[in-house]
């Protein structure tokens, strides 16, 4: 007769195997995927086809300039905040270069490099300018950097990282750094692009409210490259979460978010990634999959690209 302990173990393994062999499509057993606003919803909204190749099929971009630029800005500003907490002062230009070089070497070890010296020079210059312009008033007001928030919804898990949670007097603000110029609101694509970033902050505001019970007072999109042009008035795009119409827009977008998740999962199931209705020509020019893309070829025929 088998040892009772061994029998119990074998019975447990058998049950585990039965569970593993069961299809995970039933509602009570469905594994929920995790989605972010930037890595999933915005990327999919820009171009579902490109999203499918990069995110689902696992292709790596051949020229990840934007990835390097945004990454080094975020890593540096986190280090600059830690420096302020330790030294009780803002980094100077010499210290900025030292920290920048250390981060750059770390990223090179990960296989992520600046594509040319001009890109590197631009990133270093914009970080020096940010520390000079925003200075102590900014760093001392930070409550938390890289605040991670998560919320389980009906069919998926919503996840986001807020770059900075800070206070301005009694007001609570959430910030997100953008390593770019502010989108041009005088043209359709610029307005659409800015609207996508607004919706990113809507998601962060929603997650913040789910965690704390209230919306933050406002969100700030900070367009770093406006510093290079001395356009200080254009660096910040502010969203007032205390306005009722903004709170209603947040709730509406969470429903839209759910719909886009359903689209992504249906596309993944059928491996059918549609082309976007509208897209910026520069996005197409930098895409690794443009040469057999009907959208790109139509641009060439129109001599837009």
């Amino acid at each position: 007769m088998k040892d009772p302990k061994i029998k119990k173990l074998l019975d447990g393994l058998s049950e585990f195997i039965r569970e593993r062999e069961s299809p995970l499509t039933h509602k009570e057993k469905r594994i929920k995927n995790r989605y972010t606003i930037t890595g999933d919803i915005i990327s999919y909204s820009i171009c579902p086809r490109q999203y499918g190749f990069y995110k689902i099929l696992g292709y790596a971009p051949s020229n990840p300039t934007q990835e390097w630029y945004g990454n080094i800005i975020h890593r540096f500003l986190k280090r600059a905040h830690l420096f302020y907490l330790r030294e009780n002062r803002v980094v100077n230009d010499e210290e900025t270069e030292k920290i920048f070089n250390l981060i750059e070497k770390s990223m090179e070890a990960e296989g992520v490099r600046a594509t040319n010296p001009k890109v590197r020079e631009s990133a270093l210059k914009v970080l020096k300018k940010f520390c000079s312009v925003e200075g102590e008033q900014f760093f001392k007001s930070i409550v938390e950097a890289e605040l991670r928030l998560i919320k389980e919804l009906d069919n998926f898990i919503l996840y986001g990282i807020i770059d900075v949670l800070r206070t301005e007097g009694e007001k609570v603000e959430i910030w997100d750094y953008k390593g770019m110029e502010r989108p041009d609101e005088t043209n359709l694509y610029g307005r659409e692009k800015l609207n996508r970033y607004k919706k990113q902050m809507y998601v962060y505001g929603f997650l913040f409210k789910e965690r704390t019970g209230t919306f933050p007072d406002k969100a700030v999109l900070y367009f770093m490259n406006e510093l290079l042009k001395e356009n200080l008035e254009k660096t910040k795009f502010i969203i007032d979460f205390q306005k009722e119409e903004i709170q209603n827009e947040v709730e509406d977008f969470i429903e839209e978010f759910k719909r886009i998740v359903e689209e992504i999962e249906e596309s993944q199931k059928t491996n059918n990634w549609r082309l976007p209705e509208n897209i910026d020509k520069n996005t197409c020019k930098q895409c690794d999959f443009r040469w057999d893309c009907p959208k790109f070829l139509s641009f060439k025929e129109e001599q837009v690209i």
Side-chain angles (χ1 to χ4, degrees), residues 39-73:
D40 294 293
I41 304 305
I42 288 180
S43 296
Y44 181 84
S45 297
I46 292 171
C47 180
R49 183 175 187 266
Q50 189 183 80
Y51 173 87
F53 276 113
Y54 286 138
K55 184 77 175 185
I56 306 302
L57 299 179
Y59 288 90
S62 60
N63 184 22
T65 301
Q66 192 64 38
E67 177 188 355
W68 181 89
Y69 197 90
N71 211 327
I72 202 162
I73 282 175

Side-chain angles (χ1 to χ4, degrees), residues 16 18 157 175-176 232 255:
F16 173 75
R18 283 195 295 273
I157 295 170
W175 282 43
D176 190 81
L232 301 186
E255 294 305 312

